[in-house]
Amino acid sequence: MNRINRKSCVAVALFGLMLTAGIVIAAGQQSTPTYSRAYLHSYNLDSTGLALEGYCPVTYHTHNVARQGSAEFASTYNGVDYHFVSAAAKRMFESNPEKYIPAYGGWCAYGMAIQDKFPIDPTNFKIVNGRLMVFLRNQNVDALAKWNQGDDQAQVVKADAHWKKVSQ
């Protein structure tokens, strides 16, 4: 009987240690939110889930230029994948992603202002009030030129209102 009690005590003690270790490990991990397909559906992503067609969201802000990022410097925020031009750009993004993500889920800002979703040319962009706005540009339309015909603030108000509807 004494042997059974010792084995039971050892088993209970080991179970307790494993449970405690699991709690400590779980507490040290950051919780990553899970986003539904419906939520991500409102974002303008390529077929692999990549935002801005792989362009680095940081260089728009830091150098006022669109530069293609690299899968070597990738990061995911809110279930959306981004590529960066360097480890430093990736760190900048990860320290404050909301500063760098494109407005309107990466859809054309002018499209949002006229209550539509247009694809983008990631090299056609403008920073408005610290927010990255990207625009459609093709052989028929330069949406940035159309945006610039109006007032930035009035366009943003309209685009924000439409984005609120389509992103829910």
Side-chain angles (χ1 to χ4, degrees), residues 77-150:
Y77 178 70
N78 283 351
V80 178
D81 296 326
Y82 295 89
H83 285 177
F84 302 91
V85 296
S86 66
K90 178 181 173 183
R91 282 191 303 274
M92 287 176 73
F93 176 84
E94 289 174 341
S95 72
N96 188 5
E98 290 293 324
K99 176 179 178 177
Y100 299 105
I101 60 173
Y104 317 120
W107 292 102
C108 174
Y110 180 74
M112 284 294 130
I114 63 168
Q115 299 185 11
D116 207 344
K117 277 187 181 177
F118 298 152
I120 60 158
D121 171 349
T123 65
N124 199 25
F125 71 96
K126 181 177 186 174
I127 304 295
V128 178
N129 299 329
R131 295 168 67 193
L132 171 60
M133 310 280 174
V134 286
F135 297 89
L136 167 73
R137 179 173 42 209
N138 60 31
Q139 63 187 18
N140 300 317
V141 177
D142 182 344
L144 175 56
K146 290 189 173 291
W147 174 280
N148 286 335
Q149 290 173 0

Side-chain angles (χ1 to χ4, degrees), residues 35-49:
Y35 295 89
S36 69
R37 285 189 183 271
Y39 174 83
L40 292 177
H41 178 70
S42 63
Y43 282 78
N44 184 11
L45 307 175
D46 71 12
S47 62
T48 65

